[in-house]
Amino acid sequence: MEPPQTLLGITTFVLHKVAVAARRAMAARLAEETGLSLWRFAALAALADHGPAAQRELGDRLGLDPSDMARLMDGLVEDGLAVRERDPGDRRRYRASLSDAGREALGRGRAVAAAAEEHTLAPLTAAERATLHDLAARVLHAEHPAGPDPA
């Protein structure tokens, strides 16, 4: 069923609809093809991109409540995708890092994410995709200068 034309004339509404559909598709493909949830993929990506981090720092980076982050990290550690070790700079806290299995899972997740994005953006040329990315990134950084909620 098509939304009202009034809504389709609002760019942010259209972007939202595309984002919701793309997120659902990516989450489904990640779960089916890698066993990762979107949040697990995001946590692995954050650890890969930024290196070892305290759990609270990682939660802040992802925009997750501390209790949700604790459950997420517990699962990653339990499944061998991440490891916790004492922070050498502050022995009172732990920091998380990727395990070898986590790096492998992230690699598979990146391939799945790229394929899902390819499907979503199939109607656009490569140049249009680059322009869309640049424009969306500009809006995102204006709205969230410290960094976005990745999921």
Side-chain angles (χ1 to χ4, degrees), residues 38-119:
L38 196 53
W39 281 113
R40 287 176 138 224
F41 175 70
L44 294 176
L47 288 172
D49 289 354
H50 299 282
Q55 192 167 288
R56 180 171 294 281
E57 177 187 339
L58 186 59
D60 289 346
R61 180 165 276 135
L62 297 176
L64 282 175
D65 178 84
S67 62
D68 293 333
M69 188 65 230
R71 280 191 297 277
L72 177 62
M73 189 52 61
D74 287 346
L76 290 172
V77 170
E78 184 177 305
D79 291 345
L81 300 176
V83 294
R84 278 192 193 112
E85 53 199 10
R86 290 276 182 196
D87 185 336
D90 183 348
R91 302 290 298 159
R92 296 170 296 176
R93 70 179 186 171
Y94 287 88
R95 67 182 187 169
S97 59
L98 282 178
S99 67
D100 289 340
R103 278 189 216 28
E104 291 174 23
L106 178 59
R108 290 190 310 274
R110 284 180 172 146
V112 169
E117 184 172 87
E118 175 73 26
H119 177 77

